Amino acid sequence: MAELKLSESRDLTRIERIGAHSHIRGLGLDSSLEPRAVSEGLVGQLPARKAAGVILQMIKEGRIAGRGVLIAGQPGTGKTAIAMGLAKSLGQETPFAMLSGSEIFSLEMSKTEALTQAFRRAIGVRIKEETEVIEGEVVEIQIDRPAVAGAASKTGKLTLKTTEMETVYDLGAKMIEALGKEKVQSGDVIGIDKASGKITKLGRSFSRSRDYDAMGPQTKFVQCPDGELQKRKEVVHCVTLHEIDVINSRTQGFLALFTGDTGEIRAEVREQIDTKVAEWREEGKAEIVPGVLFIDEVHMLDIECFSFLNRALENEMAPIVVVATNRGHTKIRGTNYRSPHGIPIDLLDRLLIISTQPYTEEEIRKILDIRCQEEDVEMSEEAKVLLTKIGIETSLRYAIILITSSALACQKRKGKVVEMEDISRVYQLFLDVKRSTQYLMEYQDQYMFNEIPAGEGNEDGLGDMVS
């Protein structure tokens, strides 16, 4: 007899791409906003995380709208990680928009328009709406199909009940089709929106829990609704101001959100939307949710963008702007003036500044442990000690990159645990910045367009280039 072979299927929804900050789940704070040493993917940077926790609390209480926060520190000290932790801690309800300073110059629109769209993407509107719904447990569904195909449309009856009443509803062809799509059967608890006719399956009634011996894990049991079948319910829709702008400025409406072809939006459209949202706020139909706009590499913005940010932060509907930079005293782009972090002094006055410090040896080891776990790489203790040493002497980013490449080297020799020899092999294959710069110094005469005169490739020059 032939052996039955079952084909393996992979659940594609469970496959997630591992990114540089995919291991971060939050800021790693306790209930009193004190940072834990290692928590939710973040390690060390206790003062910076505590400051971010205070800002998080102020955002949740709505006390910091229209303010700015600057996260400043050396490269590889976790600035973007703290911003990502802040975004995860805010939850799904609070909008979080992220862009890099250089993105603004590559978009097919003016710089101020790109910043305006980013600002409005970070401002949420929670719109409240009252709708009439019918909620009950399905007692019976009767569908009368015509004897001759195409003679007449299908009709039927739907019997719904609550703990207090039971009613029979006549069904048309569209409602029968909707019930079929949702696979509604006797014993299900459903909700029907009277305005749109949309049917929502809420679950299965507890009274029918013993109908079958076995059920799938997705089966949800709920109580039979009480009171009347017809009720008024408040429905809350959460959208951003930018989404409302796009829907009202394009002929294809909300489809423009999917195509990405938003283009420049006229000021008149935004003014009308702001007026309408203000009316809704006065009537109690909507409330504004100030979100967070994170601008990485903020020193890449020019003087025009900084002037716009200064004015935009004063707007009553401005989000919390979090910016990050790894620059020291440098020129403000578009001018010949030098300033701390390459940001004008008048804008720096508006910002709460959070400083990040270089990681210690112990913290680098803990971060590498977390990344090994995230990338599903088994590594021996000796290999981790060597990788930590490499991270101290070169950079944390370089050490993290070596994790996956050393795992591939281990896989090639048919090993299961990454050893020191694998780390050494990839360390020789891939140069870090210091070794690459040293190589350039030694062989500078053999490269085209070399701008360093002979004899100047000393250690001091190497240090300047690396820094």
Side-chain angles (χ1 to χ4, degrees), residues 73-79 325-327 356 358 395-397 467:
Q74 300 96 315
T77 52
K79 298 180 293 295
T325 181
N326 55 20
R327 297 295 167 95
T356 56
S395 71
L396 175 61
R397 286 172 178 165
S467 62

Side-chain angles (χ1 to χ4, degrees), residues 97-297:
M98 183 175 176
L99 78 154
S100 177
S102 54
E103 275 183 52
I104 288 163
F105 300 95
S106 59
L107 296 170
E108 294 179 355
M109 60 182 78
S110 66
K111 292 176 283 189
T112 52
E113 174 66 21
L115 281 170
T116 304
Q117 289 192 13
F119 261 70
R120 292 176 77 84
R121 217 177 282 124
I123 303 165
V125 184
R126 197 178 283 126
I127 302 166
K128 298 169 188 173
E129 186 183 27
E130 273 201 353
T131 57
E132 285 193 0
V133 293
I134 299 167
E135 262 185 27
E137 181 187 330
V138 178
V139 179
E140 190 183 10
I141 302 173
Q142 290 180 340
I143 297 170
D144 301 324
R145 291 178 175 83
V148 183
S153 59
K154 290 186 283 188
T155 57
K157 293 184 186 295
L158 172 68
T159 310
L160 291 177
K161 71 167 185 178
T162 63
T163 53
E164 296 176 12
M165 62 184 293
E166 186 174 311
T167 309
V168 179
Y169 294 94
D170 290 326
L171 298 175
K174 284 188 178 179
M175 286 298 291
I176 291 169
E177 190 182 339
L179 286 167
K181 276 185 182 176
E182 289 292 324
K183 296 179 180 175
V184 175
Q185 57 183 338
S186 180
D188 288 340
V189 178
I190 63 168
I192 304 170
D193 188 341
K194 279 193 77 176
S196 63
K198 185 185 175 184
I199 295 170
T200 310
K201 205 169 173 180
L202 305 174
R204 192 142 182 86
S205 175
F206 274 114
S207 61
R208 299 295 193 99
S209 60
R210 297 184 182 275
D211 281 10
Y212 305 101
D213 292 333
M215 275 173 280
Q218 70 274 13
T219 307
K220 180 183 171 186
F221 289 102
V222 293
Q223 294 285 358
C224 179
D226 54 0
E228 293 192 2
L229 277 162
Q230 196 164 311
K231 300 168 187 171
R232 290 189 72 83
K233 269 201 169 183
E234 190 178 78
V235 182
V236 179
H237 307 283
C238 293
V239 290
T240 65
L241 278 178
H242 176 65
E243 287 169 350
I244 301 173
D245 291 345
V246 172
I247 290 165
N248 286 278
S249 67
R250 291 287 172 270
T251 51
Q252 64 264 45
F254 72 94
L255 292 174
L257 291 170
F258 301 102
T259 60
D261 181 27
T262 56
E264 296 209 8
I265 296 165
R266 288 180 292 115
E268 297 81 23
V269 174
R270 289 200 176 107
E271 282 173 16
Q272 289 171 5
I273 289 164
D274 289 347
T275 307
K276 195 67 183 173
V277 170
E279 283 177 21
W280 289 343
R281 283 173 71 187
E282 285 176 11
E283 293 168 8
K285 289 181 181 177
E287 58 180 283
I288 298 293
V289 185
V292 176
L293 171 62
F294 176 59
I295 306 175
D296 206 356
E297 307 290 339

Side-chain angles (χ1 to χ4, degrees), residues 437 440-441 444-445 449-458 461 465:
T437 309
L440 285 174
M441 293 293 183
Q444 57 182 318
D445 297 333
F449 309 116
N450 177 53
E451 294 182 5
I452 301 174
E456 286 191 12
N458 53 21
M465 286 190 73

Side-chain angles (χ1 to χ4, degrees), residues 14-81:
R14 295 180 64 85
I15 297 173
E16 291 183 6
R17 189 174 181 272
I18 296 168
H21 300 102
S22 58
H23 62 283
I24 291 166
R25 310 279 180 264
L27 283 171
L29 307 172
D30 59 19
S31 55
S32 59
L33 298 181
E34 287 296 325
R36 304 183 191 94
V38 182
S39 181
E40 295 183 325
L42 286 176
V43 177
Q45 302 294 353
L46 303 185
R49 281 161 58 200
K50 187 172 183 179
V54 173
I55 289 162
L56 171 69
Q57 198 63 29
M58 290 166 77
I59 292 168
K60 285 182 175 177
E61 292 175 9
R63 295 184 181 180
I64 194 177
R67 304 279 179 87
V69 179
L70 168 65
I71 305 174
Q74 300 96 315
T77 52
K79 298 180 293 295
T80 309

Side-chain angles (χ1 to χ4, degrees), residues 281-352:
R281 283 173 71 187
E282 285 176 11
E283 293 168 8
K285 289 181 181 177
E287 58 180 283
I288 298 293
V289 185
V292 176
L293 171 62
F294 176 59
I295 306 175
D296 206 356
E297 307 290 339
V298 72
H299 53 265
M300 293 300 294
L301 299 182
D302 61 11
I303 192 68
E304 294 171 17
C305 296
F306 286 128
S307 300
F308 176 83
L309 282 177
N310 251 333
R311 177 69 188 88
L313 283 170
E314 294 174 353
N315 196 327
E316 63 173 8
M317 285 204 297
I320 296 89
V321 179
V322 180
V323 298
T325 181
N326 55 20
R327 297 295 167 95
H329 278 269
T330 184
K331 280 185 181 179
I332 302 166
R333 187 170 176 175
T335 71
N336 291 321
Y337 296 104
R338 295 172 71 87
S339 176
H341 311 298
I343 301 171
I345 298 295
D346 56 342
L347 181 58
L348 275 174
D349 279 343
R350 296 177 183 271
L351 304 176
L352 297 169

